[in-house]
Amino acid sequence: MTRHMSAGKLLGVGVGPGDPELMTLKAMRALGRADVIAHFAKAGNASHSRAIVAQHLRDGVIELPLLYPVTTEMPPCSDGYRDAVADFYDGAAAEIAAHLDAGRTVAVISEGDPMFYGSYMHLHTRLAPRFATEIVAGVTGMSGCWSAAGMPIAQGDDVFTVLPATLPEAELARRLSDADAAVVMKVGRHLPKLRRALETSGRLPRAMYVERGTMSEEKMIPLAAKLDDDAPYFAVVLVPGWEKRS
């Protein structure tokens, strides 16, 4: 499909893990040249990504909130969830396309990096064949967390694995057993299952629980010392490698 060369430009801008000082200079410049700032949020909730960039939004910029119709209310594997989310991304892409067709530069801001477990990717696949795009890499949430924890995560020949806690328990345990170092994302209500998988794989004694990493309300504790199973969706668990340190 031919791109609209006279149209605007789509920017996928990573704004980092939460601490506004972990935004890159390139991200701040991208915000400065955008006519439209689009940001994701759960309906009824404030946008985390917008909160990160709030002090850098220039006067007169157009804001485009993109509000998820569902998040954790339905199983992600269900037809209802898939249909609702697909319709949402189709609609969001159409809204952004209207601005691009009008010649505007649209920055879609993403926590962490736009191309790593980010919602921006769903817009990119819909819009990149038609419009010019640019990706601004961001500091990932997991690197922000292990830096905040002062935790060397992988070194030398360590095999590093990133896992979503939404996987079945047996699969989590298998993959944790195979990895030297791991980060488990999307913890939330899956924490009890993840705890069992870590215990089965022998990784529980090394696991560190991090909640709202790099933010003012950051919490971190060895998972074995965490006595409850309450966790927000964006909490992570770090399992460091580098057992034989040199």
Side-chain angles (χ1 to χ4, degrees):
M1 185 180 295
T2 303
R3 295 187 181 193
H4 298 183
M5 299 309 294
S6 62
K9 189 172 188 178
L10 176 65
L11 310 177
V13 182
V15 297
D19 181 348
E21 292 189 351
L22 291 176
M23 279 181 58
T24 66
L25 294 174
K26 190 168 186 177
M28 287 189 283
R29 285 196 296 269
L31 294 176
R33 62 189 169 97
D35 303 299
V36 180
I37 303 291
H39 42 79
F40 292 97
K42 180 179 179 178
N45 289 42
S47 166
H48 293 298
S49 57
R50 190 197 182 282
I52 295 170
V53 307
Q55 61 186 305
H56 302 292
L57 295 181
R58 59 180 176 79
D59 291 340
V61 72
I62 300 169
E63 292 195 48
L64 179 60
L66 304 173
L67 305 179
Y68 299 111
V70 293
T71 51
T72 59
E73 298 87 353
M74 301 170 65
C77 58
S78 67
D79 291 341
Y81 179 91
R82 286 193 296 265
D83 291 345
V85 169
D87 289 345
F88 163 68
Y89 285 124
D90 286 344
E95 288 187 82
I96 291 170
H99 286 289
L100 296 171
D101 281 328
R104 301 185 183 103
T105 296
V106 180
V108 180
I109 56 176
S110 302
E111 292 175 79
D113 184 275
M115 294 302 211
F116 185 73
Y117 287 99
S119 295
Y120 168 77
M121 291 186 290
H122 298 277
L123 301 178
H124 187 85
T125 57
R126 287 165 167 80
L127 295 170
R130 299 168 51 198
F131 301 99
T133 61
E134 179 184 340
I135 309 299
V136 178
V139 177
T140 62
M142 61 183 181
S143 62
C145 288
W146 65 57
S147 296
M151 176 181 285
I153 195 73
Q155 190 267 346
D157 294 328
D158 282 347
V159 176
F160 173 65
T161 300
V162 180
L163 299 169
T166 51
L167 291 174
E169 183 176 332
E171 185 70 2
L172 282 170
R174 182 183 73 80
R175 291 179 180 268
L176 286 164
S177 296
D178 289 342
D180 299 300
V183 171
V184 187
M185 304 174 63
K186 305 180 182 180
V187 174
R189 60 187 174 86
H190 302 284
L191 183 56
K193 172 183 67 176
L194 173 58
R195 193 194 300 272
R196 294 191 299 269
L198 285 160
E199 190 165 13
T200 298
S201 63
R203 298 297 195 264
L204 183 59
R206 288 194 287 139
M208 176 70 71
Y209 171 84
V210 184
E211 183 178 310
R212 298 179 176 87
T214 80
M215 303 179 196
S216 59
E217 61 271 41
E218 170 186 275
K219 298 177 183 178
M220 61 181 69
I221 185 174
L223 184 56
K226 182 173 167 57
L227 301 180
D228 61 72
D229 290 325
D230 294 332
Y233 181 73
F234 287 112
V236 301
V237 169
L238 309 174
V239 182
W242 202 21
E243 289 192 88
K244 297 180 181 178
R245 305 185 180 192
S246 59

